């Protein structure tokens, strides 16, 4: 009986040793700990086109891509893209000279009859892939005669300045005038000015 216990123990030890040795040589592919989630990429924002006449440099545009998060971990909530602020007219300034950024250098509401050019500098805020700014210049004396009606397309990704001008090679008639700015057909700003001597 002692002999059969020894033989059984010997066979069991031999079998266990063989199993251990055979397990050491196995090359099973490792199973992935987690499966990566799909990668989401934000589409690049189109570079805005400059306004037809004098748009100041807009803020730089960049694109981003969200990195993949493992499925096993809890994904952080994706922040929604900020809502694009619609294009609005922030300020209208009149003058007889503009700088390199198309801004009126000295605001005025009174001009001399021999002043050849009058500028309207329109500062806008917000974003637009394509909007239309219009400047309607009128002589208010008598029947409100139309002097000029100019439109410009504007595409911007931030603050910008668009300049309109009227010119008269002759003397301007004295009296009261008005410039009215419209954005996509809707009146958004107006300013009265006067042409007078001295």
């Amino acid at each position: 009986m002692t002999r059969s216990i020894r033989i059984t123990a010997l066979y069991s030890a031999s079998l266990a040793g063989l199993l251990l040795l055979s397990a050491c040589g196995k090359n099973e592919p490792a199973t992935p700990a987690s499966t990566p989630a799909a990668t989401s990429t934000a589409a690049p924002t189109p570079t805005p086109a400059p306004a037809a006449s004098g748009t100041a440099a807009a803020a730089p545009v960049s694109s981003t891509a969200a990195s993949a998060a493992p499925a096993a971990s809890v994904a952080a909530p994706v922040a929604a893209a900020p809502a694009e602020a619609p294009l609005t007219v922030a300020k209208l300034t009149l003058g007889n000279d503009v700088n390199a950024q198309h801004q009126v250098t000295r605001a005025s509401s009174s001009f001399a009859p021999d002043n050849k050019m009058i500028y309207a500098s329109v500062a806008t805020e917000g974003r637009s892939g394509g909007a239309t700014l219009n400047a309607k210049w009128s002589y208010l004396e008598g029947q409100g005669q139309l002097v000029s009606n100019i439109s410009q397309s504007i595409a911007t990704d931030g603050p910008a300045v668009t300049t309109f001008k009227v010119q008269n090679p002759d003397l301007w008639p004295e009296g009261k005038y008005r410039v009215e700015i419209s954005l996509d057909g809707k009146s958004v700003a107006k300013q009265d000015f006067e042409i007078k001597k001295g």
Side-chain angles (χ1 to χ4, degrees):
M1 180 154 182
T2 307
R3 190 171 180 196
S4 69
I5 291 176
R6 279 190 211 160
I7 292 174
T8 305
L10 185 61
Y11 282 129
S12 295
S14 297
L15 183 60
L18 285 173
L19 286 174
L20 277 173
L21 286 175
S22 66
C24 288
K26 279 191 172 182
N27 287 328
E28 290 182 8
T31 57
S34 62
T35 309
T39 302
S40 146
T41 306
T45 306
T47 304
S53 172
T55 298
V61 178
S62 63
S63 61
T64 58
S67 59
S73 66
V74 176
V78 177
E84 288 192 11
L87 189 68
T88 58
V89 170
K91 187 176 181 183
L92 168 62
T93 310
L94 296 180
N96 59 4
D97 196 18
V98 292
N99 60 20
Q101 290 77 35
H102 306 284
Q103 299 166 326
V104 168
T105 55
R106 194 181 75 205
S108 181
S109 60
S110 181
F111 302 92
D114 62 348
N115 205 319
K116 300 296 180 204
M117 283 185 264
I118 301 172
Y119 294 92
S121 180
V122 182
T124 55
E125 294 177 349
R127 301 172 184 218
S128 175
T132 302
L133 280 174
N134 177 271
K136 179 181 173 184
W137 303 80
S138 303
Y139 179 54
L140 300 178
E141 304 293 327
Q143 298 189 12
Q145 178 182 353
L146 179 66
V147 175
S148 177
N149 195 9
I150 308 164
S151 292
Q152 292 187 38
S153 294
I154 178 173
T156 182
D157 195 29
V161 175
T162 306
T163 302
F164 296 93
K165 71 177 178 180
V166 288
Q167 54 189 4
N168 187 350
D170 301 321
L171 296 177
W172 289 97
E174 290 187 56
K176 297 190 182 296
Y177 291 77
R178 175 178 294 156
V179 60
E180 183 176 2
I181 304 299
S182 299
L183 176 60
D184 290 331
K186 181 181 176 187
S187 178
V188 291
K190 60 182 146 187
Q191 185 171 340
D192 290 350
F193 62 98
E194 190 174 8
I195 303 289
K196 64 180 181 179
K197 291 181 184 175

